[in-house]
Amino acid sequence: MDKRSLCLLLICINLCLVIWLVSVQQSPMLEAEIITDSSGSGSSSGSGSISSTPQPPNSANGLRRSRSKPNQIYQPSRTPSNNDSSSLVSNTFDNHLGTPPSLASQTPSPPGSSMHLMDLPNFVYLIDQPACDKDVRVLILVHSAVKNVEKRRLIRETWANRSYIDQTPLRVIFLVGGVGPNSEEWQQFLGRENHMHGDLIQGNFRDAYRNMTYKHVMALKWFNEKCEHAQLLVKVDDDVFMNTPQLVKYLATPDLPENSMLQDPDLMLCRVVRHSRVKRSYRSKWRVTYKEYPHRFYPEYCPGMAIVYGPDVVRRLYEAAQKSKYFWVDDVLITGILAEETASKITPMKYYLESKDVYNLLNGDADLEDPPFLFTNHAIKPDESMAIWQMALDRIQRPLLTHPAYSSPSAASKSAQIVPSAIISEAAQTSSTALS
């Protein structure tokens, strides 16, 4: 073959390659589908003191970006008791797979046991919490990355403020994964954070982007085993503002249609994603191979930033996940693939507070309850969260809503206010009387 023919052949090959790359390149993922990268850290510092939060380790001693496979986990040398994590790190991990000799030879636990999480045979909680009290009606599990200290602090100062939450039938807990080898300072920091706030649950899988399915299934597991009597499980990301006063209002007002909807044990409420094409481009962060998922489109599913589950759905999805092959896109697997397998139907959520809606609200061009919302979109700014929370408190202060829904089942005849006494001093005495 002469040089001219060879050059033409090479040009044709390159042209075909370019056409192929263009054809497989997908458009950017919808904003609603974006999943927060677990390696990202919380930004800015909304108003309020941060002196009550232990300071994180310096970045030089922080987390290393994980490149492990999803099933390369860290095995603990012992099972800690509640709130015990500061001394876990010594002799816990080896230099390679993170499996200490004392556990490497153990027989894997059978599927369905308390030490089984999907394909992880020796799952345990590095940090755990007591089971839900009988008066908890809604368990809110916030998916957070280890380094997202500021995001957790902001949530504790706003919509999960203890002085408010403790007067409602809600409970808020943060979920994180393992810190990885050579990150003892981060583990000690988590121990101090949990000792101070008592609201962390930590699994012994690596806290990595492609391990979020483990965290999601851990949420289903914890609810199923320690809070199964509750009416709802809410799964929410740590960069979303949740309108907890609006949820409490729904629970407390039988005349609202949302009240009966939230009592459905088969509820799976979210913003539905439909006709989402599988990303195949090598340049896409969400690239999925044909081996991982062979079809062109995903089934309809819930974006993981905010999902409300009824207890029967939690049970079905958890049992299905325990038998399922691991797939790293957690919301697609759990609320799409497994939801189809278990005949769990999605109830579309009508309204989210988008970025433009937040802007209009804070500029006085919209009302907090026109229309009412349960969640903002992801990546809300700290100052926006603080401002919306203050607006919610101002709204609470005006009508002192009381209803038996705020009392435990054993004291259904009593009513309790949703007004946080530590924040609204004028309502404190009234609240104390109503709770007595």
Side-chain angles (χ1 to χ4, degrees):
M1 181 180 294
D2 57 20
K3 290 185 177 180
R4 182 177 181 181
S5 299
L6 182 60
C7 290
L8 289 174
L9 179 60
L10 291 175
I11 291 172
C12 290
I13 292 174
N14 288 332
L15 182 60
C16 292
L17 181 60
V18 170
I19 293 173
W20 178 79
L21 287 173
V22 171
S23 65
V24 299
Q25 174 64 33
Q26 308 296 333
S27 59
M29 179 170 278
L30 294 174
E31 186 178 23
E33 300 176 63
I34 296 177
I35 306 170
T36 303
D37 192 335
S38 64
S39 64
S41 61
S43 59
S44 81
S45 57
S47 60
S49 171
I50 60 174
S51 60
S52 61
T53 302
Q55 296 301 309
N58 294 330
S59 58
N61 297 321
L63 292 176
R64 295 182 176 181
R65 188 172 180 86
S66 169
R67 299 186 182 276
S68 67
K69 296 180 180 179
N71 61 350
Q72 289 180 323
I73 64 170
Y74 301 116
Q75 304 286 6
S77 57
R78 60 187 177 89
T79 303
S81 59
N82 292 344
N83 303 338
D84 178 15
S85 65
S86 60
S87 60
L88 277 174
V89 179
S90 299
N91 301 322
T92 301
F93 312 128
D94 68 9
N95 294 327
H96 302 289
L97 296 181
T99 306
S102 60
L103 288 177
S105 60
Q106 286 185 2
T107 303
S109 55
S113 72
S114 61
M115 291 184 63
H116 178 76
L117 188 74
M118 300 189 75
D119 58 352
L120 305 184
N122 289 307
F123 169 79
V124 295
Y125 298 105
L126 300 179
I127 301 175
D128 201 359
Q129 298 299 326
C132 291
D133 295 334
K134 60 183 180 180
D135 58 344
V136 173
R137 292 181 58 186
V138 181
L139 175 65
I140 303 170
L141 296 180
V142 184
H143 287 215
S144 184
V146 170
K147 294 176 66 176
N148 288 3
V149 181
E150 283 298 299
K151 292 181 180 180
R152 293 193 292 274
R153 181 194 62 81
L154 180 65
I155 290 174
R156 293 187 185 108
E157 291 185 358
T158 55
W159 58 264
N161 190 297
R162 274 289 177 83
S163 58
Y164 170 74
I165 290 294
D166 287 351
Q167 298 186 60
T168 72
L170 314 182
R171 185 181 183 187
V172 181
I173 297 176
F174 297 89
L175 304 184
V176 296
V179 299
N182 305 317
S183 297
E184 291 85 354
E185 290 188 19
W186 273 106
Q187 186 64 36
Q188 292 167 3
F189 170 80
L190 289 176
R192 294 193 299 271
E193 181 181 354
N194 184 64
H195 179 75
M196 179 173 293
H197 300 287
D199 61 1
L200 292 183
I201 292 176
Q202 182 184 26
N204 67 327
F205 50 85
R206 189 190 299 266
D207 200 317
Y209 182 71
R210 287 188 171 239
N211 280 356
M212 289 192 298
T213 297
Y214 290 133
K215 192 176 292 183
H216 202 148
V217 177
M218 181 174 74
L220 303 179
K221 176 184 178 68
W222 204 91
F223 179 91
N224 198 52
E225 294 177 352
K226 294 194 174 184
C227 207
E228 60 181 353
H229 68 276
Q231 178 179 330
L232 295 170
L233 166 64
V234 178
K235 184 270 186 194
V236 63
D237 286 346
D238 63 4
D239 60 350
V240 170
F241 181 93
M242 181 176 176
N243 193 349
T244 46
Q246 186 64 44
L247 176 60
V248 170
K249 181 177 180 180
Y250 287 152
L251 295 174
T253 313
D255 295 339
L256 293 175
E258 291 83 0
N259 181 278
S260 58
M261 177 186 69
L262 295 177
Q263 294 185 47
D264 183 3
D266 287 317
L267 180 67
M268 184 162 59
L269 178 68
C270 68
R271 166 180 284 179
V272 185
V273 176
R274 296 185 175 95
H275 310 299
S276 177
R277 177 176 287 185
V278 181
K279 309 301 182 286
R280 304 294 188 190
S281 170
Y282 284 92
R283 289 181 287 177
S284 173
K285 180 180 179 180
W286 296 275
R287 178 179 182 271
V288 170
T289 66
Y290 284 98
K291 184 177 181 181
E292 290 174 313
Y293 188 80
H295 307 295
R296 187 179 181 185
F297 292 93
Y298 291 127
E300 69 174 25
Y301 68 93
C302 296
M305 62 182 184
I307 309 169
V308 181
Y309 291 110
D312 288 358
V313 175
V314 174
R315 175 183 52 79
R316 290 197 302 268
L317 293 179
Y318 172 65
E319 291 174 354
Q322 288 287 69
K323 305 171 186 176
S324 173
K325 179 181 177 182
Y326 189 88
F327 182 48
W328 63 274
V329 187
D330 64 309
D331 43 14
V332 169
L333 174 65
I334 295 170
T335 66
I337 298 171
L338 298 183
E340 277 194 346
E341 291 181 2
T342 59
S344 302
K345 303 297 183 181
I346 297 176
T347 300
M349 187 174 292
K350 296 180 180 179
Y351 187 67
Y352 274 70
L353 205 64
E354 305 282 1
S355 298
K356 60 180 178 60
D357 303 315
V358 171
Y359 177 84
N360 292 335
L361 178 64
L362 298 183
N363 281 275
D365 298 328
D367 186 80
L368 190 65
E369 295 187 4
D370 186 23
F373 70 96
L374 284 180
F375 305 99
T376 68
N377 211 328
H378 64 89
I380 186 171
K381 298 177 182 178
D383 58 333
E384 294 173 339
S385 289
M386 296 295 293
I388 295 175
W389 177 242
Q390 188 58 52
M391 293 176 68
L393 291 182
D394 293 342
R395 179 60 59 92
I396 292 170
Q397 188 175 12
R398 291 199 293 270
L400 298 182
L401 179 64
T402 61
H403 191 270
Y406 299 104
S407 299
S408 64
S410 62
S413 62
K414 300 179 182 179
S415 62
Q417 295 177 4
I418 65 171
V419 182
S421 59
I423 299 177
I424 307 173
S425 58
E426 182 180 353
Q429 295 181 350
T430 307
S431 177
S432 175
T433 303
L435 285 168
S436 62

